Amino acid sequence: MSSDRHLVTSRDRYVDFLRAWAIVLVVFGHWLITALEHGPEGGVWAPELLAELPWTQGLTLLFQIMPLFFLAGGHAAAGSWERARSAGGTAAGWVGRRALRLLLPAGVYSGLVLLAVGISAGAGVDPDTLSMVGWAMAMQFWFLPVYLLLSAVTPVLHTAHRRWGPGVPLVMGAVAVGVDVAVVAGGVSSVGVLDYVLVWGVAYQLGFCRRDGLLDGPAVPWVLAVSGGAAFALLVALGPYPVSLIRVTGQETGNTDPPSVAMLAWVVAQVGVCQLVAPPVRRLLDRERVWRVVRPVGGASMTLYLWHMLPVLVLAAAFYLTGLAPQPALGSPGWWGLRVPWLLLLAAVLAGVVAALRPVERRLGVVYDRTRPEPGLRRGAWAVWLGLAVSALALSRFAVHGFAPDGRFPVLPALGLAAGTALVLLPGLRRGSLDEPAQRAWSTPV
């Protein structure tokens, strides 16, 4: 087995780099394609860049790096579950802990956004504007229920991995292809939701394989990169799939909603490329100056992911709602030139948001330390599983409809997320002051 697998004895810096790189590109990509204009009646209008300028759809190939999130998540989950299992931990205890590290920051974020929605709705804010803002603040939520579900089935997936190895992602991929055929060719759209778990699950399962050195060697990365890239090119050129890896209004077939077979090919290709570039990137990460930059970005990945659209709203209100921002024609050289100060301003605002949230994160670390389920949880395990299901359903509703569907406060999803999180917390609640310092550093599960 290759020496590339050293997470057992030390932290794998390359996995942390994948997380940091992925979050940087997600944030940068969302900001880059966000186009705002001062409306004729004083509001803010957001034209869809990918639809208005079709050539920009090719740029999504550079920024659709969610496979790296799931690959890194699978790699980390495999090691974490192995350690928990060898120490006598149960699936409920392990899953409950992983779930809380997502649900606590997501709950704080959702609570603050919902509070703002409630105040705005009560103040008579235009429903269409409120709906658009609520959607923008929830657009990234699709990741959360998918990751929660994959975490929930990790013990089963890992058991299958120990027995069949790479055969598991092969079977998952084959089933995903069958589901996609049913959706695209058969018009059975109801089964498409399965591909959220199957397609992204392939990347997650390949994380298991990567940790065990099954993707090492001179040939495997090249086979993955070339076969996946060629399949994607053929599916786009000959099939009904667009080149855009983000859903574009007006396209009958998309690659992300649900993930298509073309997205599956992109997952395979990206994992292969990830393995090919690992050696030189590792050498860079061994330099402490580089590592000191990468490490805090990876550690703040959940905060950055959840909150990165708030700066867009801040700048929209400050410059576009007031009409202060210059407005060259969409896609003109002047418009592209203004992307540079736009991105710099957004980065500055986000840095301020992250700094302001540090006390909240420390508090969440204390709450997690005091309420996480016991590793060997048995009694009360039902609360973890039920809470996980309710939370995933509520997060899915936010992801699809936003925080203010039709300009209204989403009562049922809000109650569902609160109840689901409370259920996951229930088995681990114990007496003691939450003012005591946490015994371990707060971290995200990916």
Side-chain angles (χ1 to χ4, degrees), residues 243-271:
V243 69
S244 177
L245 292 175
I246 297 176
R247 169 71 75 170
V248 178
T249 301
Q251 291 180 345
E252 293 185 7
T253 302
N255 287 322
T256 59
D257 186 23
S260 69
V261 66
M263 180 63 80
L264 175 62
W266 193 251
V267 167
V268 173
Q270 198 167 103
V271 171

Side-chain angles (χ1 to χ4, degrees), residues 53 127 184 203 337 354 407 429:
L53 303 174
V184 175
V354 171
L429 288 174

Side-chain angles (χ1 to χ4, degrees), residues 108-198:
V108 169
Y109 174 85
S110 300
L112 291 174
V113 174
L114 288 169
L115 177 62
V117 168
I119 293 173
S120 300
V125 172
D126 175 63
D128 290 337
T129 300
L130 193 57
S131 179
M132 181 184 72
V133 171
W135 175 85
M137 295 299 284
M139 63 182 293
Q140 71 275 38
F141 262 42
W142 71 267
F143 169 82
L144 301 178
V146 176
Y147 199 85
L148 282 172
L149 288 174
L150 287 173
S151 295
V153 297
T154 291
V156 175
L157 292 177
H158 196 262
T159 298
H161 165 75
R162 294 199 309 272
R163 181 168 183 178
W164 293 296
V168 180
L170 281 173
V171 171
M172 292 174 69
V175 176
V177 171
V179 170
D180 194 57
V181 169
V183 172
V184 175
V188 189
S189 59
S190 59
V191 301
V193 67
L194 296 176
D195 269 349
Y196 281 102
V197 175
L198 290 169

Side-chain angles (χ1 to χ4, degrees), residues 8-209:
V8 174
T9 57
S10 64
R11 190 171 187 90
D12 191 330
R13 290 187 174 186
Y14 187 58
V15 173
D16 283 345
F17 165 78
L18 292 179
R19 182 189 302 120
W21 182 243
I23 192 61
V24 167
L25 286 186
V26 165
V27 171
F28 183 78
H30 283 168
W31 287 351
L32 184 65
I33 66 173
T34 299
L36 299 176
E37 294 181 2
H38 181 68
E41 298 181 1
V44 178
W45 179 51
E48 188 176 354
L49 180 67
L50 299 179
E52 297 287 338
L53 303 174
W55 70 266
T56 61
Q57 295 176 25
L59 297 176
T60 63
L61 301 182
L62 301 176
F63 299 110
Q64 180 52 272
I65 39 64
M66 291 309 295
L68 298 186
F69 265 120
F70 289 100
L71 179 72
H75 188 289
S80 176
W81 169 240
E82 282 182 0
R83 291 188 294 272
R85 185 170 55 88
S86 64
T90 62
W94 183 84
V95 170
R97 290 177 168 222
R98 300 281 289 185
L100 277 184
R101 296 214 303 265
L102 277 178
L103 290 175
L104 288 176
V108 169
Y109 174 85
S110 300
L112 291 174
V113 174
L114 288 169
L115 177 62
V117 168
I119 293 173
S120 300
V125 172
D126 175 63
D128 290 337
T129 300
L130 193 57
S131 179
M132 181 184 72
V133 171
W135 175 85
M137 295 299 284
M139 63 182 293
Q140 71 275 38
F141 262 42
W142 71 267
F143 169 82
L144 301 178
V146 176
Y147 199 85
L148 282 172
L149 288 174
L150 287 173
S151 295
V153 297
T154 291
V156 175
L157 292 177
H158 196 262
T159 298
H161 165 75
R162 294 199 309 272
R163 181 168 183 178
W164 293 296
V168 180
L170 281 173
V171 171
M172 292 174 69
V175 176
V177 171
V179 170
D180 194 57
V181 169
V183 172
V184 175
V188 189
S189 59
S190 59
V191 301
V193 67
L194 296 176
D195 269 349
Y196 281 102
V197 175
L198 290 169
V199 172
W200 300 120
V202 168
Y204 191 78
Q205 198 79 22
L206 287 174
F208 295 175
C209 296

